Amino acid sequence: MSELTGGPATVGDEAAIRRVLLEYCRGIDRLDLELVRGCYWPEATDRHGPFTGTRDEFIDWVGPLLGRQTMTMHHLGNVLVDIPAGHDVADAHVAVAESYGVAYHAGEPAGDVRWNYAAGFRYVDRFERRDGRWRIADRITVIEWVRPWDADRDRISKFGEHLPRRDGTDPLYATQAAAVGETAVGETAARESA
């Protein structure tokens, strides 16, 4: 099997591909479907559990499912990116990534295993680089295991005002906006002192 691998991706390509994988997880967990859409090429395919279709069909399928969830949290562990045999590692335009992960899901009603479960999975992705940007061209989600899981919603609600949200009010977006504001203030101060 190893003869199919041309070699490991360059550090820069691997970092760019890993960034796409993490943006996908953020998009799913924050219910930012446009961020998810941007991780795929327009004609990409995804085979995800019972679903098989194009990028846009996947977004149309997964959006309502995620809307039933009160929370999802995807953790990626091992990510191995290889350049297929026959491709120039230094200037690759195709890469294969295998990413191991665990995803936690919570939904209503509590205890309903259709909406409250943890799953171990692998993303098996073919990435393509076009105009300097890596995106998913083909994805297979391999489910390794599933088990019932339930978030302790009552306990979570007592953790203060900075609770997770699945929209633009999540603490992430407030922190990003504050950082943009600090950058603008810093740039203005630098111009004024010059």
Side-chain angles (χ1 to χ4, degrees), residues 5-60:
T5 302
T10 66
V11 173
D13 289 336
E14 187 162 345
I17 288 169
R18 183 181 293 269
R19 177 73 190 202
V20 171
L21 292 164
L22 296 176
E23 286 178 354
Y24 171 86
C25 291
R26 176 186 279 176
I28 292 290
D29 293 342
R30 299 282 58 82
L31 200 53
D32 183 345
L33 297 179
E34 289 310 307
L35 182 58
V36 173
R37 188 183 314 274
C39 295
Y40 293 85
W41 291 112
E43 72 286 356
T45 57
D46 194 316
R47 289 173 295 285
H48 206 105
F51 171 83
T52 297
T54 65
R55 173 195 74 176
D56 292 336
E57 291 167 339
F58 173 70
I59 298 296
D60 291 344

Side-chain angles (χ1 to χ4, degrees), residues 109-192:
D112 185 333
V113 296
R114 292 174 301 168
W115 311 111
N116 298 277
Y117 63 93
F121 63 88
R122 287 180 297 130
Y123 294 138
V124 179
D125 295 318
R126 181 173 50 81
F127 276 81
E128 291 181 6
R129 179 171 52 191
R130 302 177 193 168
D131 297 323
R133 170 142 188 197
W134 287 102
R135 290 187 185 178
I136 299 165
D138 185 66
R139 166 167 281 177
I140 300 171
T141 301
V142 180
I143 305 297
E144 298 282 351
W145 55 264
V146 176
R147 64 170 297 155
W149 177 84
D150 206 5
D152 187 342
R153 292 173 184 82
D154 186 49
R155 190 170 178 197
I156 291 169
S157 69
K158 296 176 177 132
F159 285 155
E161 64 182 281
H162 303 291
L163 298 175
R165 305 279 193 278
R166 298 187 82 211
D167 59 26
T169 64
D170 185 82
L172 167 70
Y173 301 112
T175 301
Q176 287 176 331
V180 168
E182 289 172 8
T183 301
V185 169
E187 289 172 354
T188 300
R191 279 194 304 271
E192 290 173 357

